[in-house]
Amino acid sequence: MIPERKETNQNLSDHLFLPLENSSYHAETIAKPSISYWKDAWMRLSRNKLSMAGLVMLILLVLMAIFGPLLTPYSYDHQVLTEGNLPPSSEHWFGTDNLGRDMFTRTWNGARISLFVGFMAAIIDFIIGVAYGGFSGYKGGRTDNFMMRIIEILYGLPYLLMVILLMVVMGPGLFTIIIALTVTGWVGMARIVRGQVLQLKNAEHVLASRTFGASAGRVIRKNLLPNTMGPIIVQMTLTVPTAIFAEAFLSFLGLGVQAPVASWGVMANDGLSVILSGHWWRLFFPAFFISLTMFAFNVLGDGLQDALDPKLRK
Amino acid sequence: MAKYVMNRLFAMVITLWIIVTITFFLMHAVPGSPFNQERNTSEAVQQNLEAHYHLNEPVFIQYAIYIKSLATLDFGPSIKQSSTSVNEMIGRGFPVSAELGITSLIIAIISGIVLGIMAALRHNGAIDYMAMTFAVIGISVPNFIMATLLIQQLAVTWEIFPVATWASPMHMILPSIALATGPMAIIARLTRSSMIEVLNQDYIMTARAKGMTTFQIVTKHALRNALLPVITILGTLVAGVLTGSFVIEKIFAIPGMGKYFINGINDRDYPVIMGTTVFYSAFLIMMLFIVDIAYGILDPRIKLHKRGE
Amino acid sequence: MKKIVTVLLSLLLLIGIVGCTTTENSSSNSNSGSDDAKQEDGTKVLKLNNGSEPTSFDPPIGFDSVSWNALNNLMEGLTRLDDADQPQPAAAKEWEKSEDGKTYTFHLREDAKWSNGEPVTAEDFEYAWKRLANPDTASPAAFLSYFIEGAEAFNTGEGSEEDMMVKAVDETTFEVTLESPVAFFPNLISNPAFFPVHKATVEENPEWHTEADTYVSNGPFKLTKWEHDSEFEFSKNENYWDADNVKLDQVNWAMVDDTNTEYQMYKTGELHTSDVPADLSEELFSDGKAQVEDQSGTYFYRFNLEMEPFQNENIRKAFAMAVDQQKIVEFVTKNEEKPAYGFVAYGFEDASGGDFREVGGDLVTTDADQAKELLEKGMEEEGYDQLPAVTLTYNTSDDHKKIAETLQQMYKEVLGVDVELANQEWNVFSDEQKQLNLQFSRSSFLADYGDPINFLESFQTDHSMNRTGWSNEEYDSLIAKAKEETDEAKRFEYMHDAEELLFEEMPIFPIHFYNQVYLQNEDVTGIVRHPVGYMELKWADIK
């Protein structure tokens, strides 16, 4: 900041020109412990109650996905045909489905599938996107141009067509769904990383590093990536729910995971006609947890965006 | 500018050609045939049918035939509905899908922006939280659930709207809303955050200091800048609306493009798959292009020919 | 913190609407389909759902129910099935059969007319039937003409058009010679593949069948509007010979392929009939709203005899007997289907009036203990310590999934075998099944014409519908004999023997027979649904 000179000029007085005390070097000491970028981000995030609520919800959801199915004596695929469509009770907390399977166990087993799909998609997007975008942005010039053309092609392909074709070629299954979701999904990540790298690579600290002879890999790892982590993390928190959503959408088209395993999407689709029949618990629980997950990720993503953006530091 | 447009158009043609090629070979790699029937059709009949559509030729020959007819913008005949050409199908389906898509986009953009502005003006107030909750719900509920709920509540229980089909403007309301909720939420959030940023800028302070009313400030100064990020994602949104419309079209029995596309895949109706894909891709690429141009016009800081450097 | 609570509460509220909507609804759906069906001006308009765009209204091309259900009411063949599923004179007023049962002579009605006013002639029939068999037409239904002498050769390119034995003797006399005596021939030709076409129109404009303006028909209704992929409309055909008995003025066909939506439209009176959504069947049956009609077809599973462990007969039998068909129809499909313990469906009468299925009796039984024993025996025979992995494959659909999941559970409980499930998209599935790449797969059969032989001929060696790798000379010869036999009692005996043989070796096992379950507006009467054949609206009426 440039000091407001006019005022200071007017208020000049002698006491401002007194020599420093001996202990003046104390002025250089850092009074508070140094705060790293991440610590600062965390502090700001933890002040955002809604985001923290999202984070807590997510932790709870993950814990329930891990331990939920163990809380009941039933297995997710055990049918008791004579006990189909029972409403929630002390025996079946979330009721039973049309084949007499315990909905509580199925819901949390479904959570495993849905969250797994979401996290895997995010991780794969991250790996491919960062490598591709980082390289493209760092190299620049022709390479960058060529690599961006490829992205444009992938972007132009109708996403659903690719997914359906892949599902048909590879046969349905959890693995196929993840591949199908990531085959074009990483493009968004790559674009973001590239943009960031393009901006940063001419920044002073990067130039300095280069001048000292750092290799390309080192520059990317040490100088560029840490500074692009903010947007990347935000993007990842959005990828997870998008993937969960896309999986639900595929289930609606009959392209979900292999029975008798069921994800939330498969369960919601199976339960769709209960809107007519009144077995509300069969739609409510999977739909509620999809929505809750989406909600949690979105508010967390919003909070992270604010927390990680250096411009918004107060 | 003209040179930039020419370059982009050329790149678009190349992109499209690559997409056509990938789709063509991928499609032929998928097992199954358009003439598969649960019931018994004899070998002889099968062969007659295949010969009729050149399906007995090597794939490369078929590819050459296809590219040739594509060059004249002829997508060929449908195999399943033998009397209809794919061009006719697109001619029938696209206007309907476009109607649905445009109505929902208009709903989404208007309500999204209004919500976003309201939220931004009352930053951290009750309205902000309500608007954002509404928006988050919009993103959080899968649209097939949203659509079924809307039908059951508004059409069956309250009998305000007709259940399905595409016969009159009344029929358009429910599907458009069902399709609009997702994009609306995204737009609302985006408008809100960029609006908040813009409202803190010095020139807004100046405007306030000059005694302009909030309404004037928003319409005259803030909106234009706050909408830039919205425009950037418009291309993606259009793509999203197009993709999402498959589901909505199925639930509401709307005779749009989505039906042809899904049925085309299920029936292995190769010309239909190709035709709809090429059309969609071309449309999508075009949209991205238009968005880039619009962005350049609206934001003087961006110089088009510098893009990609 | 208050904000978080507000936000969460409103989220919960919205999704809570699901609960309210559904509970509210299950208790108060009294007005279902009881709105006054008649139009205000007194015209009778029936509102039906065709599901999707008809493949084609050209008789030999649209070989599926989305085309032929509607087409059956636009056109009329020589015969039409009545409400007891028996062939009655239609475009033909009478016919004679020759001594050897191979030649039929049909006499057409003088007053049978096309919708353009021209008479329906024997030449139209000759032209249409030859067109069906013509390889250039590429009709998927062409195999139905193979009963006619020379038709198969013509269709496969080995014979010529002239050698196909159908002949217009004069304007109203039509003569057909068959390959072998076919007792059910008058029944067979009620099938839309055998509908006539107006020769002059077809020759003049090959695209005549694609639009309402150019469509010429001879049935109870004519096509007056066809908005492709959206809807089409029939009006009463004034030129129809029996127009006095056609009560409806108009039929509107929607194209809605989502069952929930269809049902919701039915509830609001936008449709007069509807399928029953899966989760609602129980409730609708107990309220007496859902109606059932037989459909001639069998839901069954195929073993692949070329893949381990199903080369072993005892293991196949074990897998067949471990299945409880009764439980599946009662708790899983819940559509009041009849459980199947034989392959040929109900509804085929023999010479003495007995039903084929009842005479044939149960050929497979549900018996957990015996299934276990047979499995052990089979494993011993093959020297297995452990059963090779079994994968059950079905084509992607919610209904098939339910049954597959139940079978999986039954095998686990009864045989202690963990069966893997796999689903494939229909087109892939059907390809793989034909190529014998599936070990154990879901199958279905719907009869093309009303005779048990149609069911049983499928399992002849190398028949295109066999798809099990099963081959039995005795079976083949029984089928061949049944096809040549003129004595009905004997013919049925051969067929019973064949079916028994099939179940002795068990390359397949049945789950249930198909039926047609539907909801229909109380004011609508007279729609006839045949077990084999297509929907009849000729006698339909609205009160």
Side-chain angles (χ1 to χ4, degrees):
Chain A
M1 285 280 141
I2 303 158
E4 291 149 338
R5 221 166 275 159
K6 266 186 203 161
E7 283 179 39
T8 37
N9 281 343
Q10 285 168 350
N11 297 330
L12 289 181
S13 62
D14 283 351
H15 76 269
L16 284 171
F17 298 96
L18 288 177
L20 280 171
E21 281 175 38
N22 263 350
S23 57
S24 65
Y25 67 89
H26 286 302
E28 296 295 311
T29 36
I30 294 162
K32 282 193 176 175
S34 100
I35 295 177
S36 72
Y37 172 62
W38 297 111
K39 255 193 186 151
D40 179 58
W42 167 250
M43 273 171 58
R44 276 187 289 149
L45 181 68
S46 55
R47 252 181 262 131
N48 184 335
K49 284 189 188 132
L50 202 55
S51 297
M52 285 316 282
L55 186 64
V56 171
M57 270 185 244
L58 282 180
I59 293 170
L60 285 179
L61 280 169
V62 172
L63 286 178
M64 279 310 280
I66 298 170
F67 299 110
L70 309 174
L71 299 179
T72 60
Y74 314 101
S75 88
Y76 73 94
D77 63 346
H78 183 79
Q79 312 170 358
V80 185
L81 289 180
T82 45
E83 292 178 12
N85 287 332
L86 294 180
S89 65
S90 57
E91 232 163 275
H92 297 283
W93 299 328
F94 288 181
T96 64
D97 72 359
N98 54 337
L99 297 176
R101 293 175 290 201
D102 183 58
M103 279 292 288
F104 185 84
T105 323
R106 276 180 84 68
T107 301
W108 295 116
N109 205 69
R112 291 179 182 180
I113 308 292
S114 289
L115 292 173
F116 181 73
V117 168
F119 284 118
M120 279 311 286
I123 291 170
I124 296 175
D125 277 6
F126 171 77
I127 294 173
I128 304 178
V130 168
Y132 193 99
F135 185 76
S136 176
Y138 187 76
K139 276 278 172 186
R142 277 215 181 154
T143 323
D144 179 43
N145 236 323
F146 178 73
M147 288 175 87
M148 281 303 112
R149 280 287 103 71
I150 295 180
I151 282 198
E152 213 153 275
I153 291 170
L154 283 171
Y155 213 65
L157 281 173
Y159 167 73
L160 187 70
L161 173 98
M162 298 313 294
V163 173
I164 295 178
L165 283 181
L166 272 173
M167 300 286 281
V168 174
V169 176
M170 298 169 57
L174 198 53
F175 182 67
T176 318
I177 291 177
I178 294 171
I179 296 289
L181 293 180
T182 46
V183 85
T184 56
W186 59 270
V187 170
M189 181 68 88
R191 284 189 144 188
I192 289 175
V193 176
R194 171 183 171 270
Q196 290 285 319
V197 169
L198 273 181
Q199 256 181 30
L200 283 170
K201 75 175 177 184
N202 294 323
E204 281 87 353
H205 68 283
V206 180
L207 284 176
S209 185
R210 273 199 198 155
T211 322
F212 288 127
S215 66
R218 191 187 153 83
V219 172
I220 291 180
R221 263 182 297 121
K222 293 279 172 186
N223 298 107
L224 297 180
L225 274 191
N227 286 300
T228 54
M229 273 325 263
I232 291 175
I233 288 178
V234 172
Q235 173 72 11
M236 278 177 82
T237 57
L238 294 177
T239 308
V240 179
T242 311
I244 292 177
F245 223 51
E247 194 272 337
F249 172 70
L250 290 178
S251 304
F252 177 78
L253 295 174
L255 299 168
V257 288
Q258 181 58 57
V261 178
S263 65
W264 285 336
V266 171
M267 292 169 75
N269 182 46
D270 280 354
L272 207 53
S273 66
V274 305
I275 289 185
L276 315 171
S277 73
H279 308 307
W280 56 270
W281 57 92
R282 286 186 46 210
L283 178 61
F284 175 80
F285 291 108
F288 176 73
F289 287 111
I290 291 180
S291 307
L292 196 67
T293 312
M294 294 290 294
F295 175 78
F297 269 109
N298 273 301
V299 291
L300 180 62
D302 280 357
L304 280 173
Q305 191 156 27
D306 293 347
L308 292 173
D309 188 346
K311 278 186 293 184
L312 292 181
R313 274 190 189 209
K314 277 164 199 158
Chain B
M1 182 75 184
K3 197 178 160 212
Y4 170 77
V5 171
M6 283 308 292
N7 273 342
R8 275 297 293 269
L9 284 176
F10 179 70
M12 277 158 66
V13 173
I14 300 289
T15 309
L16 204 57
W17 170 69
I18 296 175
I19 292 173
V20 168
T21 311
I22 295 175
T23 319
F24 190 89
F25 288 101
L26 200 59
M27 179 179 85
H28 280 275
V30 175
S33 117
F35 311 114
N36 247 335
Q37 299 248 0
E38 178 75 48
R39 306 197 232 187
N40 38 347
T41 45
S42 70
E43 287 291 307
V45 171
Q46 198 97 319
Q47 278 160 14
N48 285 340
L49 286 166
E50 281 178 10
H52 194 256
Y53 291 98
H54 304 292
L55 292 179
N56 48 358
E57 314 254 11
V59 180
F60 280 96
I61 305 283
Q62 292 185 42
Y63 176 68
I65 295 175
Y66 190 77
I67 291 291
K68 216 174 120 191
S69 72
L70 197 60
T72 60
L73 292 180
D74 177 11
F75 292 122
S78 157
I79 296 179
K80 205 74 184 178
Q81 295 182 22
S82 50
S83 53
T84 317
S85 74
V86 177
N87 291 52
E88 277 176 279
M89 285 185 170
I90 294 173
R92 266 180 228 155
F94 182 67
V96 178
S97 284
E99 229 173 14
L100 172 64
I102 291 170
T103 325
S104 345
L105 270 182
I106 290 175
I107 295 178
I109 292 173
I110 293 179
S111 55
I113 289 177
V114 169
L115 270 181
I117 292 174
M118 274 166 35
L121 289 177
R122 295 278 176 277
H123 187 30
N124 284 336
I127 294 181
D128 185 15
Y129 278 89
M130 269 163 62
M132 282 308 106
T133 310
F134 193 61
V136 168
I137 289 173
I139 320 183
S140 303
V141 183
N143 62 5
F144 62 91
I145 296 178
M146 182 67 85
T148 317
L149 275 177
L150 284 175
I151 295 183
Q152 185 62 27
Q153 202 56 46
L154 298 180
V156 177
T157 310
W158 294 342
E159 300 196 15
I160 303 173
F161 299 103
V163 176
T165 73
W166 196 247
S168 70
M170 274 305 262
H171 287 83
M172 294 167 61
I173 296 175
L174 287 187
S176 304
I177 293 178
L179 191 54
T181 45
M184 179 205 74
I186 297 173
I187 293 175
R189 285 160 45 111
L190 214 60
T191 312
R192 171 179 174 269
S193 59
S194 70
M195 198 71 183
I196 289 174
E197 211 181 308
V198 170
L199 286 178
N200 287 325
Q201 302 278 331
D202 295 344
Y203 66 93
I204 299 289
M205 302 293 178
T206 318
R208 235 186 256 286
K210 285 194 298 186
M212 282 174 88
T213 63
T214 310
F215 182 78
Q216 280 172 319
I217 292 174
V218 168
T219 48
K220 287 222 169 122
H221 294 288
L223 203 54
R224 180 174 148 134
N225 289 314
L227 287 189
L228 278 177
V230 177
I231 290 166
T232 11
I233 62 150
L234 219 52
T236 330
L237 276 187
V238 171
V241 165
L242 277 182
T243 323
S245 71
F246 289 126
V247 171
I248 299 298
E249 284 177 15
K250 182 174 151 56
I251 293 179
F252 287 95
I254 296 168
M257 286 271 286
K259 188 162 161 175
Y260 292 115
F261 179 66
I262 301 263
N263 291 347
I265 291 182
N266 287 337
D267 296 339
R268 299 292 184 280
D269 197 335
Y270 300 128
V272 176
I273 303 179
M274 285 309 295
T276 42
T277 309
V278 171
F279 188 81
Y280 268 131
S281 306
F283 186 76
L284 207 59
I285 297 173
M286 204 64 203
M287 280 317 291
L288 292 176
F289 172 62
I290 292 174
V291 166
D292 277 356
I293 297 275
Y295 199 69
I297 292 170
L298 279 174
D299 188 349
R301 286 172 304 181
I302 304 267
K303 290 246 168 59
L304 283 175
H305 58 268
K306 283 246 171 113
R307 188 178 164 277
E309 299 231 325
Chain C
M1 199 61 207
K2 217 157 91 192
K3 286 166 195 161
I4 302 165
V5 175
T6 338
V7 170
L8 273 181
L9 271 183
S10 37
L11 185 64
L12 206 93
L13 195 78
L14 179 100
I15 303 172
I17 297 175
V18 185
C20 305
T21 312
T22 51
T23 36
E24 200 177 285
N25 227 68
S26 56
S27 55
S28 69
N29 51 5
S30 52
N31 68 335
S32 61
S34 59
D35 296 279
D36 199 12
K38 219 186 220 169
Q39 296 299 105
E40 275 166 21
D41 57 5
T43 54
K44 293 175 174 177
V45 181
L46 183 65
K47 291 180 248 175
L48 298 178
N49 177 21
N50 197 49
S52 64
E53 168 86 355
T55 313
S56 172
F57 277 153
D58 189 9
I61 302 300
F63 184 45
D64 46 29
S65 58
V66 288
S67 308
W68 281 2
N69 260 335
L71 181 63
N72 197 34
N73 302 291
L74 281 178
M75 294 267 203
E76 184 160 270
L78 294 166
T79 61
R80 182 179 283 279
L81 300 180
D82 63 10
D83 53 3
D85 313 319
Q86 295 309 308
Q88 298 300 337
K93 64 179 178 221
E94 58 193 3
W95 58 85
E96 295 116 34
K97 185 161 75 166
S98 68
E99 204 72 352
D100 63 357
K102 283 189 177 180
T103 305
Y104 281 81
T105 311
F106 294 93
H107 303 282
L108 306 192
R109 277 175 210 284
E110 279 85 14
D111 56 350
K113 288 210 179 75
W114 290 99
S115 52
N116 60 9
E118 288 180 34
V120 178
T121 65
E123 215 192 328
D124 289 334
F125 274 97
E126 184 189 328
Y127 178 73
W129 289 23
K130 283 187 170 164
R131 193 164 164 264
L132 169 67
N134 193 327
D136 295 337
T137 311
S139 163
F143 72 96
L144 286 169
S145 70
Y146 291 1
F147 293 99
I148 299 164
E149 197 180 327
E152 185 165 4
F154 178 33
N155 187 242
T156 52
E158 282 152 25
S160 68
E161 189 170 347
E162 290 72 44
D163 294 333
M164 179 173 164
M165 299 309 286
V166 291
K167 208 171 87 194
V169 180
D170 60 41
E171 183 105 318
T172 57
T173 315
F174 181 56
E175 200 180 271
V176 189
T177 309
L178 307 179
E179 286 280 349
S180 58
V182 179
F184 50 87
F185 192 64
N187 186 318
L188 176 71
I189 56 175
S190 67
N191 185 296
F194 294 96
F195 285 172
V197 290
H198 187 241
K199 189 179 172 189
T201 306
V202 179
E203 283 183 336
E204 188 196 306
N205 174 15
E207 299 287 299
W208 63 283
H209 55 85
T210 58
E211 300 297 336
D213 308 343
T214 48
Y215 199 83
V216 179
S217 68
N218 72 327
F221 297 92
K222 59 187 179 193
L223 185 62
T224 41
K225 193 171 111 190
W226 188 0
E227 259 180 53
H228 292 280
D229 283 296
S230 176
E231 56 178 335
F232 55 95
E233 185 187 288
F234 289 179
S235 311
K236 184 173 171 171
N237 179 3
E238 308 301 338
N239 286 319
Y240 181 55
W241 64 271
D242 200 14
D244 292 346
N245 285 320
V246 178
K247 315 239 178 29
L248 295 176
D249 296 298
Q250 201 178 313
V251 186
N252 292 348
W253 300 78
M255 302 179 196
V256 180
D257 74 344
D258 188 278
T259 317
N260 288 348
T261 310
E262 184 190 26
Y263 174 75
Q264 285 162 324
M265 287 178 78
Y266 167 77
K267 290 261 291 183
T268 56
E270 289 167 67
L271 286 176
H272 285 152
T273 67
S274 162
D275 279 350
V276 176
D279 276 296
L280 235 63
S281 54
E282 223 173 338
E283 185 189 323
L284 290 167
F285 272 114
S286 64
D287 293 352
K289 282 179 186 140
Q291 300 177 49
V292 192
E293 216 86 57
D294 275 338
Q295 183 172 20
S296 221
T298 313
Y299 191 108
F300 66 104
Y301 267 82
R302 283 183 168 101
F303 295 114
N304 184 345
L305 274 66
E306 290 175 7
M307 277 183 165
E308 294 203 55
F310 295 122
Q311 79 285 12
N312 184 288
E313 187 181 308
N314 284 321
I315 295 180
R316 292 200 298 270
K317 282 188 175 161
F319 271 75
M321 294 177 88
V323 172
D324 190 338
Q325 282 88 345
Q326 181 62 42
K327 236 181 176 171
I328 291 177
V329 297
E330 201 171 324
F331 296 112
V332 182
T333 61
K334 295 183 195 164
N335 250 344
E336 311 234 316
E337 292 99 342
K338 292 174 184 154
Y341 302 100
F343 188 63
V344 178
Y346 289 91
F348 301 110
E349 273 183 18
D350 59 23
S352 50
D355 188 278
F356 185 94
R357 180 75 274 128
E358 275 157 26
V359 175
D362 291 352
L363 300 174
V364 58
T365 45
T366 305
D367 188 334
D369 295 334
Q370 212 188 334
K372 248 178 283 177
E373 267 170 43
L374 284 168
L375 182 68
E376 270 166 37
K377 201 170 146 200
M379 285 174 67
E380 215 167 281
E381 283 167 4
E382 299 296 329
Y384 293 142
D385 292 329
Q386 212 186 349
L387 196 72
V390 175
T391 304
L392 179 161
T393 314
Y394 59 96
N395 55 309
T396 309
S397 129
D398 290 345
D399 296 334
H400 304 327
K401 182 171 91 176
K402 276 193 291 192
I403 294 182
E405 284 176 321
T406 312
L407 290 181
Q408 184 188 39
Q409 165 102 354
M410 284 174 174
Y411 290 135
K412 198 187 218 169
E413 270 174 15
V414 175
L415 301 177
V417 174
D418 278 317
V419 174
E420 286 274 320
L421 299 187
N423 66 315
Q424 291 179 339
E425 186 252 5
W426 192 81
N427 218 306
V428 180
F429 173 82
S430 126
D431 234 32
E432 297 258 288
Q433 193 181 53
K434 280 178 194 162
Q435 290 169 17
L436 292 185
N437 288 337
L438 304 179
Q439 193 182 11
F440 178 34
S441 57
R442 175 257 153 199
S443 307
S444 67
F445 177 81
L446 287 174
D448 288 312
Y449 49 89
D451 195 85
I453 196 76
N454 188 212
F455 284 79
L456 296 169
E457 67 185 354
S458 304
F459 297 103
Q460 297 172 93
T461 307
D462 291 333
H463 190 279
S464 65
M465 285 291 281
N466 184 307
R467 303 177 198 173
T468 58
W470 184 66
S471 163
N472 185 309
E473 273 177 35
E474 197 189 338
Y475 187 86
D476 295 349
S477 84
L478 281 169
I479 299 296
K481 275 193 224 161
K483 284 191 166 178
E484 286 299 325
E485 186 57 63
T486 43
D487 178 44
E488 277 289 280
K490 265 224 167 120
R491 196 169 76 89
F492 269 69
E493 215 178 290
Y494 288 137
M495 293 197 289
H496 279 301
D497 290 348
E499 198 188 26
E500 266 166 46
L501 192 59
L502 182 68
F503 278 85
E504 252 162 53
E505 305 213 343
M506 208 75 85
I508 58 151
F509 72 87
I511 303 280
H512 66 71
F513 295 120
Y514 279 103
N515 63 1
Q516 313 176 51
V517 178
Y518 58 93
L519 301 163
Q520 188 165 306
N521 187 298
E522 286 154 18
D523 293 340
V524 175
T525 59
I527 297 180
V528 177
R529 294 170 174 86
H530 302 294
V532 186
Y534 301 88
M535 196 189 241
E536 306 277 4
L537 303 175
K538 181 180 170 180
W539 304 285
D541 196 1
I542 297 175
K543 268 189 277 182

